[in-house]
Amino acid sequence: MTRLSGSGIGLGVAVGPVARMAEPEPDPVDEDSALGADAERARAREAIAATVGDLTARAAAAEGTAAEVLEAQAMMAEDPTLSEAIDARIDAGATAEWAVHAAIAEFREQLAGIGGYLGERAADLTDVSRRVIASLRGRPAPGLPVRDEPYVLVARDLAPADTAGLDRATVLALVTADGGPTSHTAILAREMGIPAVVAVGDVSSCVDGETVIVDAAQGAVVVAPGPKEREEAERRADERRTRAGATGPGVLADGHPVPLLANLGSPAEAPEAARLGAEGVGLFRTEFLFLGARHAPTRDHQVAAYRELFRAFAGKKVVVRVLDAGADKPLPFLTDGGEENPALGRRGLRALRAHEEILRTQLEALAVASADSEVELWVMAPMVSTAEEAAYFAALAHEHGIRAAGVMIEVPSSALIADRILRHADFASIGTNDLTQYTLAADRQLGTVASLQDPWHPAVLRLVREVGVAGRAAGRAVGVCGEAAADPLLAVVLVGLGADTLSMAPSAIGDVRLALSRVTRTEAERAAVAALAAEDAAAAKAAAQAVVAASG
Ligand code: PEP
Ligand code: MG
């Protein structure tokens, strides 16, 4: 039995056999064939046929976009023009490996030169090339393993294209050597509700077929566990499954309610959120509806989308955020091109204000859609950094008949003057993702500074406290809707700092509900005080953990 440790994502536990993601094969080198052209041609044909068969089988097992991508890759692999280009190189003396590599590279460059949709397919061709070459070498195909039985996926890290193929029914858990708690893999795992332990380092003891326990709550991976450990982990996994089926409101051990809301980007996600026990929507990211659009969405188009969302949450609170364009989410009809530093540019409310007609249309669409619905509609503005901006937005929203007009607190300035902001805004919702980015001056898109992107940092917690104190003094609701609310222990601290509601990826609701149910409000406040007094993020987490462990 070997125990590995890393960063756990969520509180999940899973037991199952390892399926390793094949490491990428080295590129072939240009060398003369020792086998002769006929034999090389036959090898190439056989490897292409095997790759086409594999891709077609994967496409049949997948759904939606993933299936389309795999079908398109199979078609690329069997394109006769490609076979001719491979044969021509083999006839000139190349090995099948080199001929495939060089011919596909040439096709890829042509596609990339065309640009647009075809240009984007260039990466898919690289994957086809790697698959055919792996087959020629008798090695496993790169990418997700194909298994009939559920498995624990062990990988160095996950590429974005692989994430499209992840199947929740087959992937019991994830273990990665690289990545950090805010990496793409971690966010994805949390969103999909898959237990994960990342940043494990050396995963060589996780060999194919070996049984492992993935214990995200402990940040541990147990390789070849004994029967006692296995039984205990299976019991905990069962317990969690039962709990995931359990719904009910968020409430502390002393009966104090903390409504648990969902972060959504599309009305299509609503049924799953409701199934997982979301008590409403705490952040509806409207810009996600229009990311591909070149023109501002019409009023009627928006009314239809909002009505669909409101139908799913009749009788509940729904907090809609007006378009948050800019930086990582550019919308051509709102975003200024060519800004040197778009995260500090005209984004969020600043962009909307520069195109006020778009903001007015959106507020009108929200008012119309809510008029014939039963939701309690709250509307908020992103990236507010001054009290004047808060006053501007609240006045405009009220003018359109929106009763609850709030602001997101994502910039340190607005956290520091939350008392003044809340003179104008009806509520505040703290966006810890951007608040952390701006407080620590660490781009949330950049892996090299990911370790600074930690909402446990006491500087971030102090700003959250400012907002909590201001909210209580003004009698205004304060919610948290950044990723931080999905971390069960941090959720306790956020409540202790004054958050009235928490909004998160729906898959996190079960774990957060459990963590909150174990502490009283006084204990949550004690955990917050302990975290605030720490020197850095790790110490803050350890201090909160110690208080919570001693509670109850
Ligand atoms: C945030 O910044 O925390 C937030 C919730 O908004 P987004 O992640 O969409 O920027
Ligand atoms: Mg934000």
Side-chain angles (χ1 to χ4, degrees):
M1 191 166 90
T2 318
R3 197 181 162 90
L4 311 172
S5 49
S7 292
I9 307 300
L11 292 180
V13 56
V15 185
V18 166
R20 286 194 67 116
M21 189 134 125
E23 293 289 328
E25 288 280 315
D27 284 340
V29 289
D30 185 5
E31 56 190 6
D32 288 341
S33 164
L35 299 174
D38 287 346
E40 296 288 7
R41 270 204 301 271
R43 290 179 67 227
R45 260 193 297 279
E46 205 179 306
I48 289 174
T51 304
V52 170
D54 178 44
L55 288 167
T56 311
R58 282 171 185 247
E63 282 174 15
T65 315
E68 282 166 25
V69 169
L70 292 163
E71 274 163 22
Q73 282 188 306
M75 279 172 64
M76 289 174 185
E78 58 189 352
D79 183 339
T81 348
L82 178 62
S83 297
E84 280 165 28
I86 293 170
D87 284 354
R89 283 183 164 76
I90 289 176
D91 289 343
T95 61
E97 285 85 345
W98 178 255
V100 167
H101 174 77
I104 293 186
E106 194 182 350
F107 272 54
R108 192 177 49 227
E109 262 159 46
Q110 284 167 7
L111 273 190
I114 298 169
Y117 176 79
L118 285 176
E120 283 163 24
R121 302 280 71 76
D124 298 345
L125 261 179
T126 307
D127 186 53
V128 169
S129 172
R130 291 197 177 128
R131 285 173 185 280
V132 178
I133 291 166
S135 169
L136 279 165
R137 289 172 173 162
R139 308 274 308 155
L144 294 172
V146 185
R147 296 279 191 285
D148 293 332
E149 295 300 317
Y151 59 86
V152 172
L153 180 63
V154 178
R156 191 178 50 74
D157 206 348
L158 282 187
D162 297 320
T163 60
L166 275 191
D167 174 4
R168 253 187 286 191
T170 354
V171 181
L172 295 167
L174 280 180
V175 176
T176 65
D178 295 346
T182 55
S183 70
H184 191 95
T185 311
I187 288 177
L188 177 90
R190 199 193 297 286
E191 272 179 10
M192 301 183 88
I194 298 176
V197 179
V198 302
V200 172
D202 183 5
V203 290
S204 56
S205 55
C206 301
V207 294
D208 257 320
E210 182 65 271
T211 300
V212 289
I213 297 172
V214 180
D215 189 341
Q218 310 283 335
V221 180
V222 183
V223 186
K228 244 181 66 200
E229 285 77 15
R230 200 183 158 138
E231 218 170 90
E232 167 65 10
E234 272 161 2
R235 187 192 59 71
R236 283 175 52 214
D238 272 351
E239 211 178 81
R240 283 204 81 241
R241 262 192 294 279
T242 319
R243 205 162 54 235
T247 50
V251 59
L252 301 183
D254 55 10
H256 179 81
V258 182
L260 302 176
L261 312 170
N263 288 355
L264 301 182
S266 147
E269 296 163 7
E272 176 71 353
R275 190 184 70 74
L276 292 166
E279 296 174 61
V281 178
L283 169 63
F284 185 66
R285 292 177 160 107
T286 56
E287 65 281 359
F288 279 11
L289 291 174
F290 310 113
L291 279 182
R294 299 201 16 231
H295 305 287
T298 63
R299 193 194 83 151
D300 291 353
H301 183 166
Q302 293 188 65
V303 169
Y306 304 148
R307 276 201 176 123
E308 192 186 337
L309 175 75
F310 296 167
R311 260 196 304 276
F313 285 95
K316 308 233 167 80
K317 175 164 118 177
V318 174
V319 185
V320 175
R321 172 170 78 188
V322 291
L323 296 168
D324 181 20
D328 52 326
K329 296 175 287 193
L331 294 177
F333 52 88
L334 267 178
T335 314
D336 296 340
E339 285 180 341
E340 291 256 323
N341 203 345
L344 300 182
R346 201 148 73 168
R347 60 168 298 199
L349 183 62
R350 302 169 189 178
L352 283 171
R353 210 168 174 181
H355 300 269
E356 196 181 281
E357 70 293 351
I358 295 178
L359 177 54
R360 284 180 174 273
T361 305
Q362 185 169 28
L363 292 170
E364 202 182 313
L366 285 164
V368 169
S370 75
D372 53 8
S373 85
E374 284 160 35
V375 292
E376 185 190 337
L377 174 65
W378 293 23
V379 180
M380 62 185 180
M383 295 295 300
V384 168
S385 39
T386 67
E388 189 275 334
E389 284 178 348
Y392 162 80
F393 178 73
L396 202 65
H398 292 152
E399 182 191 317
H400 284 80
I402 307 284
R403 275 203 289 275
V407 297
M408 286 194 71
I409 305 284
E410 325 184 73
V411 182
S413 64
S414 59
L416 291 167
I417 55 156
D419 54 342
R420 326 268 159 88
I421 295 234
L422 284 172
R423 283 182 197 155
H424 308 285
D426 299 319
F427 68 96
S429 182
I430 307 173
T432 48
N433 305 335
D434 276 313
L435 188 59
T436 308
Q437 154 165 270
Y438 294 123
T439 303
L440 277 300
D443 186 339
R444 60 192 272 199
Q445 300 292 101
L446 207 56
T448 48
V449 292
S451 62
L452 288 166
Q453 253 290 326
D454 191 338
W456 275 102
H457 197 285
V460 178
L461 301 181
R462 278 193 193 186
L463 291 172
V464 173
R465 180 188 54 183
E466 289 295 322
V467 187
V469 167
R472 213 158 280 177
R476 303 274 204 231
V478 170
V480 175
C481 65
E483 277 289 303
D487 172 336
L489 182 59
L490 188 45
V492 168
V493 169
L494 293 170
V495 169
L497 291 170
D500 301 303
T501 57
L502 299 173
S503 191
M504 64 205 79
S507 66
I509 289 177
D511 290 335
V512 172
R513 183 193 293 114
L514 180 70
L516 295 182
S517 73
R518 290 178 168 157
V519 293
T520 62
R521 188 152 168 200
T522 313
E523 286 160 351
E525 282 168 358
R526 250 187 247 140
V529 169
L532 280 169
E535 197 167 287
D536 58 27
K541 190 171 181 173
Q545 180 71 66
V547 173
V548 168
S551 300

